[in-house]
Amino acid sequence: MLLKDIIEKLNLKVYNEVNMDSDVKSAYSSDLLSDVMGNAKSGQVWITMQTHKNVASIAALKDVPAVIIVRNGVPDDDMLEFAKDNDVAVLSSSEPTFPLCGKLYELIK
Amino acid sequence: MHYTFDIEKGNFTNAGNASGSVKKTLKQLNVDPSSIKRIVVALYEAEINAVAHAYGGKIDIDIDGDKIVMVVADQGPGIPNIELAMTEGYSTASQKVREMGFGAGMGLPNMKKNTDKLDIQTELGVGTTITMTVFLKN
Ligand SMILES: Nc1ncnc2c1ncn2[C@@H]1O[C@H](COP(=O)(O)OP(=O)(O)OP(=O)(O)O)[C@@H](O)[C@H]1O
Ligand SMILES: [Mg+2]
């Protein structure tokens, strides 16, 4: 499913609007950065509660098109700036990780 | 080709910058994407460790036709027990570092998995030098 359709269906807040037409087939959910570094695959959307700059930097290194921050987390200014410079979409959801993952799974499984 | 990067002491915000530059360079050199992915994971983990567990240092990278050699040398406490440090899940990361999501004890295992050769030289109270080699498929 296209990222822009996921945003609409899951009612996500958009902090950085890029990669809207990227076709999302899978996601990775983790708050441990080395876990994401080692195990996330390029093209996956990353669901996390972390909001600091290293998140955007890892997303860019891993070719992750979008980060979804859970529970209305707000990205730090330098995270957002880095994401803008490196074409990573930054989104947030009002939901905690479990229901968000469940809904996203239903959409793209 | 030879590249050098500094790793600033205590600067988490910029940790990862060298890995980003290397990724761009490798793309320009048309290195195959699967090798780039492995190189980036290994280098990022080494770069972060030099900030999280030591006081910064430097990265030297040599790329020739069929391999990339990355040397990450830090000034720091050294690693008392390398075998223990290599164990997945083992971490001495500070509370502050853990709150940021580091400290899973997966960095060194990630380096091992994503390189063809990993060599660790360490001296207590002086620093650690990590040498990682990845053979490129062209
Ligand atoms: N450059 C270094 N200098 C001193 N100690 C180190 C260095 N690199 C690793 N260590 C030691 O080895 C341990 C394991 O390192 P590793 O990278 O696997 O995990 P981590 O950095 O603690 O957590 P993660 O990488 O998952 O965020 C560290 O917690 C630290 O005690
Ligand atoms: Mg580490």
Side-chain angles (χ1 to χ4, degrees), chain A residues 1-12 19-24 104 107-108:
Chain A
M1 180 176 283
L2 300 186
L3 185 58
K4 61 185 175 198
D5 297 330
I6 291 175
I7 291 170
E8 198 198 302
K9 290 210 165 26
L10 297 180
N11 201 11
L12 303 178
N19 304 327
M20 290 296 126
D21 290 319
S22 81
D23 188 13
V24 177
L104 180 58
L107 285 180
I108 63 177

Side-chain angles (χ1 to χ4, degrees), chain A residues 21-78:
Chain A
D21 290 319
S22 81
D23 188 13
V24 177
K25 296 195 173 68
S26 177
Y28 199 80
S29 170
S30 180
D31 301 319
L32 293 174
L33 305 187
S34 288
D35 174 34
V36 175
M37 210 57 213
N39 299 312
K41 305 223 160 42
S42 64
Q44 286 183 321
V45 159
W46 176 13
I47 297 165
T48 184
M49 60 176 288
Q50 299 288 350
T51 55
H52 53 88
K53 186 184 164 193
N54 303 76
V55 173
S57 136
I58 289 174
L61 289 170
K62 295 291 288 183
D63 297 317
V64 159
V67 175
I68 309 178
I69 304 170
V70 297
R71 280 201 281 115
N72 285 325
V74 179
D76 294 351
D77 290 342
D78 55 358

Side-chain angles (χ1 to χ4, degrees), chain B residues 46-125:
Chain B
E47 192 181 348
I48 286 286
N49 278 358
V51 182
H53 308 299
Y55 320 121
K58 86 187 231 275
I59 303 178
D60 279 288
I61 292 181
D62 278 288
I63 307 170
D64 66 29
D66 61 348
K67 68 175 190 299
I68 176 168
V69 180
M70 303 172 271
V71 181
V72 182
D74 68 49
Q75 289 87 49
I79 305 176
N81 184 336
I82 293 178
E83 203 185 321
L84 186 61
M86 290 296 304
T87 311
E88 188 154 328
Y90 176 82
S91 175
T92 61
S94 67
Q95 188 55 34
K96 176 182 158 256
V97 169
R98 283 177 201 265
E99 276 165 17
M100 293 174 76
F102 296 105
M106 294 177 73
L108 281 165
N110 277 349
M111 289 180 230
K112 179 90 189 155
K113 272 181 233 162
N114 288 281
T115 54
D116 296 306
K117 271 195 221 161
L118 171 68
D119 175 71
I120 304 174
Q121 299 294 326
T122 189
E123 198 179 332
L124 293 184

